[in-house]
Amino acid sequence: SWLRLDAHLPLDEALDINTASLIALLLALPAAALLSDRIGRRPIMLAAAAGFVLLSWPLFALMHTGRPELVLLGQLGFAVLLGAYAGPCPAAMAELFPKPVRCAALGAAFNITAAVFGGTTPLVAAALIAQTGSDLAPAWYAILAPAVALGTLLTVAESAFRPLDPAPQLA
């Protein structure tokens, strides 16, 4: 919708760009997950969060040009950053919690975050545009959440090379 309404791309071009970006995300996710198995979850996620903080504004600006090749470049940048963060994220989250509360803690953390940020993002983006008059204002929201994640990641120890609690033995 944003590409069509604010970047003024025809619907078919916007959908083609979104499809290409989703393919890039599909490739980036397992690549980042595998890399995190080798060098750790924390460095990959720190780099991705820092990339979001530093690159969200320029990537939004590229997409706002309305030039299909620049819009594609902006969306590919976001896809790679998202893949780099989301690839190792499930393993990192599972490694944060002890076995007795792992499922409940993961479920609560994921669903509360999805409800708060996923559910409010379109509303916040529209409000930011309305308040500022700038179509690029949602970039600030796209910077805020990764900045919080970056701060959190700086306080968490690497967990990739420690074994998880053993699974219970079935009788």
Side-chain angles (χ1 to χ4, degrees):
S1 296
W2 186 84
L3 286 176
R4 192 165 151 224
L5 298 174
D6 293 323
H8 308 293
L9 277 180
L11 181 60
D12 62 332
E13 285 184 35
L15 291 174
D16 288 345
I17 289 169
N18 280 343
T19 300
S21 299
L22 288 173
I23 291 168
L25 176 61
L26 184 67
L27 297 172
L29 281 164
L34 286 170
L35 185 59
S36 81
D37 286 342
R38 292 192 179 270
I39 68 170
R41 322 275 183 238
R42 194 168 179 262
I44 303 295
M45 294 174 73
L46 279 169
F52 269 115
V53 169
L54 297 172
L55 298 174
S56 286
W57 186 269
L59 293 173
F60 262 97
L62 281 173
M63 293 189 316
H64 193 263
T65 65
R67 293 180 48 201
E69 65 277 5
L70 296 179
V71 172
L72 176 61
L73 187 60
Q75 281 223 356
L76 288 175
F78 277 122
V80 169
L81 289 171
L82 181 58
Y85 191 84
C89 194
M93 289 178 62
E95 293 162 351
L96 284 174
F97 300 107
K99 180 178 57 177
V101 298
R102 188 173 294 138
C103 188
L106 284 172
F110 179 82
N111 288 303
I112 290 169
T113 304
V116 170
F117 288 102
T120 62
T121 296
L123 178 64
V124 170
L128 286 170
I129 291 170
Q131 288 294 322
T132 65
S134 170
D135 293 339
L136 294 177
W140 293 111
Y141 195 59
I143 291 169
L144 177 64
V148 171
L150 187 60
T152 303
L153 284 165
L154 290 171
T155 68
V156 176
E158 178 59 62
S159 60
F161 308 112
R162 295 180 302 184
L164 285 174
D165 296 335
Q169 296 297 318
L170 299 176

